[in-house]
Amino acid sequence: MLGEINLLIIRLVLVVSALWLAQANLFASQLYSELALKENRDNIIISPLAVRSVLAMLFIAAEGQTRADLKRVLRLHGETKFLSVAEFRKNVNIESKAMELKIAYRIFLDSKYPIEENFQATAEYFLNSTAESVDFENTKEVAKVINKFLEEKTNKKFKDAVQPADISSYTTLFLANGFYFKSKWAKPFKKIGLQRPFYFTPVAHVPVVMYGKTDELLYGDIPHLSAKGVEIPYKDSNLSMLIILPNHRTDKLKHWENLLLRMDYRTLNAKFQRTNVHIQMPRFKISYETGLNSVLQSMGLKRLYINPDFTSMTRKMGLRLSNLKHKGIIEVNSKTDDGSEYSDNELNMNQLPKDFIVDHQFIFIVKDPVRLYFMGRVLKPQ
């Protein structure tokens, strides 16, 4: 079956891959906006790449209207399943001295539903993952199995992402995904001595330790969001963090996020210019987990939960999605490598730098030039 993917198709994939990745970013904007508007917690982080990847596995499994719904919501292109999922062939996991990026996802299927060999081969080839048979009657044991998978794939950075309460004896199909990300900056931040206020409303604030540097960065205004942004590169990679900072202190960031619903994040920095920037920001770590059932249904995937057609994965009828559990950790470690403190003497006085002081609520995006890995918000640093 996989032999049908010949060199001509692969060459075609390379030509249109940029268009596919643009569509992936539009999926990311909808996913993040739907989640942000439903979520009451201060700080959130999600990997649109991980969510889209595990749903792409369901696309391989699906037929009929279920397949059509997934293709539309995931913004996949291609006349065949192979062409539609060819973009996922790239392995995104990275582990180096400067960066640790781990993304994991898998389908867990009740053992009453025999898994088709062709599905397993296709999913492994394109998405480097497979479906695993489990006995959902034993909820505690299944939770252990899923947690073991996520822990191993993320170098044991988090535990117990899935609880027995997330599963029931009626569960037949469970999607699990998670990620861990930590990286050094291309140019490290340095500690700025005393604590500074971080505002979570126009007046209320919490004290935080700020870290700063002056660096040549992409910087610019985002007028339609009444915000400005800066893009900070990571060390020894083409990844960067884009920070979107409202022009004024606010407690309305959750409402402001609604503007992101139909936004293509590739265009946010279209008018940015490279210039000297004096940036200050707090350290923060976000550990976040959530179920995504209501989000997926809001995005147009209700059929996955009612009467889906997954006959390319199993010939037995009656299978439907019970839950998609997502957990991730991001560590933004602005601490300098040598423990030194920032000094204004480091400024390049030949060009007065732009000030970018991250002292109130903001949104951040971790991306490379074409792919979006993580998105989140910080209302209160932790």
Side-chain angles (χ1 to χ4, degrees), residues 146-161:
I146 298 175
N147 286 325
K148 182 180 179 181
F149 163 75
L150 292 174
E151 289 167 21
E152 290 177 351
K153 291 295 183 178
T154 57
N155 286 350
K156 300 184 179 180
K157 294 298 182 181
F158 56 78
K159 296 183 178 181
D160 300 329

Side-chain angles (χ1 to χ4, degrees), residues 334-347:
S334 304
K335 186 176 180 180
T336 183
D337 293 336
D338 59 11
S340 60
E341 293 195 358
Y342 180 86
S343 169
D344 286 340
N345 293 331
E346 296 185 10
L347 299 181

Side-chain angles (χ1 to χ4, degrees), residues 219-223 227-229 247 268 271-272:
Y219 166 91
D221 292 321
I222 311 174
K228 57 186 176 181
N247 289 332
L268 282 179
K271 296 185 178 181
F272 284 15

Side-chain angles (χ1 to χ4, degrees), residues 1-70:
M1 185 175 183
L2 293 177
E4 298 174 16
I5 310 171
N6 53 35
L7 291 177
L8 180 62
I9 292 178
I10 293 175
R11 288 169 184 164
L12 178 61
V13 166
L14 293 176
V15 172
V16 300
S17 61
L19 296 175
W20 287 341
L21 291 169
Q23 294 299 309
N25 286 338
L26 293 175
F27 166 82
S29 65
Q30 185 179 10
L31 175 70
Y32 175 77
S33 186
E34 293 284 0
L35 173 65
L37 293 172
K38 295 176 184 295
E39 180 57 80
N40 291 322
R41 283 174 282 184
D42 289 337
N43 304 333
I44 64 175
I45 175 71
I46 192 168
S47 172
L49 177 60
V51 175
R52 192 165 179 263
S53 295
V54 76
L55 290 175
M57 292 184 70
L58 278 192
F59 172 78
I60 294 173
E63 295 296 338
Q65 190 58 48
T66 307
R67 175 180 170 184
D69 288 350
L70 283 162

Side-chain angles (χ1 to χ4, degrees), residues 166-210:
D166 296 320
I167 306 164
S168 77
S169 59
Y170 297 101
T171 300
T172 56
L173 178 61
F174 188 99
L175 305 185
N177 62 17
F179 67 88
Y180 175 80
F181 178 69
K182 180 180 180 180
S183 181
K184 294 181 179 180
W185 303 111
K187 178 180 178 180
F189 284 71
K190 296 185 178 183
K191 188 177 180 180
I192 307 180
L194 299 176
Q195 290 185 330
R196 307 288 177 87
F198 185 95
Y199 292 85
F200 54 90
T201 77
V203 292
H205 61 272
V206 293
V208 298
V209 175
M210 297 288 277

Side-chain angles (χ1 to χ4, degrees), residues 271-372:
K271 296 185 178 181
F272 284 15
Q273 294 184 347
R274 190 167 294 279
T275 186
N276 277 357
V277 179
H278 168 53
I279 179 172
Q280 295 182 18
M281 63 183 291
R283 296 175 65 186
F284 63 91
K285 176 180 178 179
I286 301 176
S287 179
Y288 178 79
E289 63 181 77
T290 187
L292 292 175
N293 288 348
S294 63
V295 171
L296 296 183
Q297 292 182 52
S298 296
M299 294 175 69
L301 292 175
K302 293 181 180 180
R303 192 180 304 272
L304 300 182
Y305 301 88
I306 302 173
N307 188 28
D309 183 349
F310 293 129
T311 51
S312 283
M313 180 166 58
T314 180
R315 295 298 177 184
K316 186 174 181 179
M317 304 302 292
L319 187 66
R320 63 183 180 85
L321 179 59
S322 300
N323 201 354
L324 193 166
K325 192 67 181 288
H326 184 83
K327 177 165 183 175
I329 297 176
I330 185 170
E331 295 189 49
V332 178
N333 186 1
S334 304
K335 186 176 180 180
T336 183
D337 293 336
D338 59 11
S340 60
E341 293 195 358
Y342 180 86
S343 169
D344 286 340
N345 293 331
E346 296 185 10
L347 299 181
N348 179 1
M349 298 311 293
N350 293 326
Q351 180 185 8
L352 192 63
K354 303 286 188 180
D355 280 332
F356 194 90
I357 312 301
V358 187
D359 65 353
H360 55 277
Q361 301 178 358
F362 63 94
I363 290 174
F364 64 91
I365 298 169
V366 176
K367 65 183 190 66
D368 63 23
V370 294
R371 193 186 302 268
L372 194 155

